[in-house]
Each structure stands twice: as C-alpha cells, then as structure tokens.
C-alpha cells in the first residue's frame, strides 16, 4: 500500500464539504493552521493538526511529503473548457483588437465556424496530441480535473471524432476529464434559417450515437440570440436529459434570453457565462441549486462587462470559476489570470475564489462527493503552493504559484 503524509505545512485549506457552497458559505474554506494530511493509495484518510495526526499515525509507516512551511489546498477543477479543437484563430483576435464584433465575425462564417472547418480537417490522432499538450499545461497550473466540450463538429462524424479524442485522452492523461456533448454550438451554413431542423438532426442522429457509445456525461447548448433560442434549447436539453445526460448551458452571455431560468427549470447542473443574467435568473439558480459558472477570461478577451458574481453570491448562488479555454473567445488556460480577474474585477474574496475553483467547480462537474476538498474519503488531488498563505493566489497577479501537484497520492 502506498502511504503518504503531507507534513510541515503552514496551513491546510480543506474547503471541506460534500455539497456545493452557496452564498455566504463560500467564505468558509476550513483552514487548519499547521495541518497535516494522511493519504493511503489514492485516497485521503485523515486531515487535522499535525500534532494530532502524529499521535494517531506512526510516521515511520509513511513516505513524508515536506510542504516546507507552505500552504496546501485542494486541486483545482476547470469546469468549462473547449480544449479539443483543430487550428487557431490568431487573425480573428487581431480583427477584434481593431473593433470587430465576436458575433459579427461568426455571422460572416468565421469564429466558431472557422474552428469547425479546421476540426473537420484534423485527424483523430492530431486532436488527441494537441489536446494532451493543452492538458499538460493545465496540470502545471494545478488543474487536476477538467471538463471538455465537443461542438466544433456540427456534423455527426466530426462531433464523434472530437468526443472520441477526449475519451482517448482520458485513458492516458493524469488529469481527469468530464466530457460534454455540445452538438448545438453554432448554426452551420446549410442550416441557416432552419435552426429547428438542425436541432432535429442533433436529437435524431447525433444524440443517440453519443449516448449509445457512452461518449459524454453532459449535454450543453449555445443558447444565444442568433444561435439557438430558448425553445430550441429546451427541446434539445429535455431530450438529452431523457436519454440520460446531465445538463449544462451557455446561458445569457451576450443577450439576456432567460438561459439561467431555463437551466433552473430543467434541473441543469450548471449555467455558464451569465454576463447578462436577469434578477429572476439569479434567484432561480440559487433556489434550484444550479451552479453559476463564471468565465472572467472570456469577458476580459471580448472586452465585455464582467458577470456580476458579487451579486450572485450575495443573492445565495453557488458560484464556480473556469477558464473557458477555446481558440476564439478566450484562448487561455491560465488559472492565475482567472483568479486575478475574479478578485480585481468581480470583487470576489480570496476565500470565495478558492471555493469557486474547488468544491463548487467539483459540483459543476457532478463530482462533489469525490473531489474538490481535502476530506477523508475523497481522492488525494492536492496542491502545495509556493507561499505560506492561499491569499497569495490573487495577490501574486497572473503568476502561477502552484509548486507541487499531488494526484492519486503521487507527485505528478
Ligand atoms: O464559451 N460562447 C460560445 N462558445 C465558446 C466560444 C467558442 C469559440 O469562440 O470558439 C465560449 O465562449
Ligand atoms: Fe464555452
């Protein structure tokens, strides 16, 4: 049996819990000064004050990981990404710098549609290799679980190829992956003005393949003006739920359509983006326990107003934070950037930010009973920082301060 102990910490931030934290509870991150963690195989066995742990467990039977008087926190979960794709859109980034609008570019056949072309051209092997490289970089930032979406296929074959790429990467990579089927991510040229027919195609042809081959755990849709409306989103998501998938939504990003309300109505696990969410949407998410996933990197890159995370927390929502890594609206997997934006521009406290990237993002991928906190029985996905306090995470602006990543009880 592989037995390990993390000793000599300045603090262990446990984020303790087996359910998401709502509202004020997001401040409770469970700090144990001079804490220690006992790990056996891939699981956390015990956590407490070092002096108490050493009375209960014989140090000689364990390999000691010396935290060198630094802070220890749970592994991060990046609960919203599009990390598998072909090609890049560096030209589009320059156009946007000159004032071009993100949605206008898509309407002209660029944007998401341009990544769809490159993803069709990429082989399965190419998607696997580039996807793995992106995950390697995420692991450096302390991400131990990631959510990844399809949606750059829009046809059956490419959509399946993208999902298969994620399933293959999942078998090999250190990072755990939650796979999401985002079939209705944009309207392909041949379906312009026939969005209902495209939803029919997704429901009748693509969804059954995805479900029968167990290629995804969640379904998602880009519910947005000029993409898929509320009625189309409801129809697709209801069917996906009936067929056994859990639900997520790209909701109220650019126009206030009522995506958050729909997420609550359908019992979605999360509603994501939410820059334009209504007051009722906020109330509905809080009431129905839908995780509000905020993506400040996207607002930053699109130069939009940030989602009102402060208000969502004050109104009792469980907020999660994620990168939204994708080749268009937000080409970054930088967790340090997300942390600093959330602190400086969304007015979230360091404690709320940690909660949003651990226990609440674990809930956003429906794994809150297995990961997201340092609690006995949970998987030993743990980070050692380069500083004695978690407060350095937002304070050391944009810099990666994760020194060691422990995954399944091993240093990776
Ligand atoms: O989450 N909003 C829609 N989908 C992605 C962007 C995808 C892209 O631009 O390629 C998002 O921001
Ligand atoms: Fe997204």
């Amino acid at each position: 049996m592989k037995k390990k102990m993390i000793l000599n910490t300045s603090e262990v931030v446990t984020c303790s819990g087996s359910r998401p934290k709502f509202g004020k509870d997001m401040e409770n991150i469970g700090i144990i000064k001079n804490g220690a963690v006992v790990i056996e195989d891939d699981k956390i066995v015990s956590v407490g004050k070092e002096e108490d742990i050493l009375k209960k467990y014989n140090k000689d039977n364990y390999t000691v990981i010396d935290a060198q008087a630094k802070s220890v926190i749970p592994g991060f979960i990046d609960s919203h990404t599009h990390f598998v794709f072909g090609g890049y859109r560096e030209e589009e980034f320059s156009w946007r710098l000159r004032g071009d609008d993100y949605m206008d570019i898509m309407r002209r056949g660029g944007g998401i549609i341009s990544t769809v072309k490159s993803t069709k051209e990429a082989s399965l092997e190419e998607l696997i290799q580039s996807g793995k490289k992106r995950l390697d970089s995420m692991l450096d930032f302390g991400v131990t679980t990631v959510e990844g979406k399809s949606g750059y296929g829009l046809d059956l074959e490419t959509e399946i190829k993208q999902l298969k790429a994620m399933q293959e990467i999942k078998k090999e990579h250190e990072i755990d992956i939650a796979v999401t089927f985002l079939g209705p991510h944009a309207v392909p040229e041949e379906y312009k003005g026939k969005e209902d027919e495209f939803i029919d195609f997704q429901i009748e042809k693509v969804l059954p393949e995805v479900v029968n081959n167990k290629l995804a755990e969640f379904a998602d849709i880009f519910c947005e003006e000029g993409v898929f409306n509320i009625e189309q989103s409801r129809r697709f998501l209801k069917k996906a739920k009936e067929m056994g998938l859990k639900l997520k939504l790209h909701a109220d990003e650019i126009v206030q359509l009522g995506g958050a309300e729909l997420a609550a109505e359908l019992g979605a696990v999360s509603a994501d983006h939410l820059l334009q969410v209504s007051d009722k949407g906020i109330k509905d998410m809080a009431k129905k326990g839908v995780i509000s996933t905020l993506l400040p990197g996207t607002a930053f890159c699109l130069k939009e107003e940030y989602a009102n995370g402060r208000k969502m927390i004050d109104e009792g929502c469980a907020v999660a934070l994620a990168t939204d890594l994708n080749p268009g609206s937000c080409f970054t997997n930088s967790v340090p950037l997300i942390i600093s934006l959330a602190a400086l521009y969304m007015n979230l406290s360091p404690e709320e930010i940690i909660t949003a990237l651990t226990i609440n993002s674990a809930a956003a991928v429906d794994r809150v009973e297995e990961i997201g906190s340092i609690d006995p029985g949970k998987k030993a996905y743990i980070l050692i920082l380069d500083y004695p306090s978690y407060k350095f995470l937002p304070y050391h602006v944009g810099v990666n301060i994760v020194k060691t990543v422990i995954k399944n009880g091993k240093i990776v």
Side-chain angles (χ1 to χ4, degrees), residues 168-184:
E168 286 304 310
I169 298 170
K170 195 173 167 179
K171 289 182 202 153
E172 292 170 39
H173 204 277
E174 284 290 351
I175 295 187
D176 289 1
I177 307 176
V179 180
T180 297
F181 167 53
L182 173 59

Side-chain angles (χ1 to χ4, degrees), residues 80-82 149 182 185 250 273 295 324 326:
H80 182 138
T81 85
H82 310 244
K149 303 175 195 293
L182 173 59
H185 188 200
H250 280 69
H273 284 288
L295 312 163
D324 196 20
N326 73 72

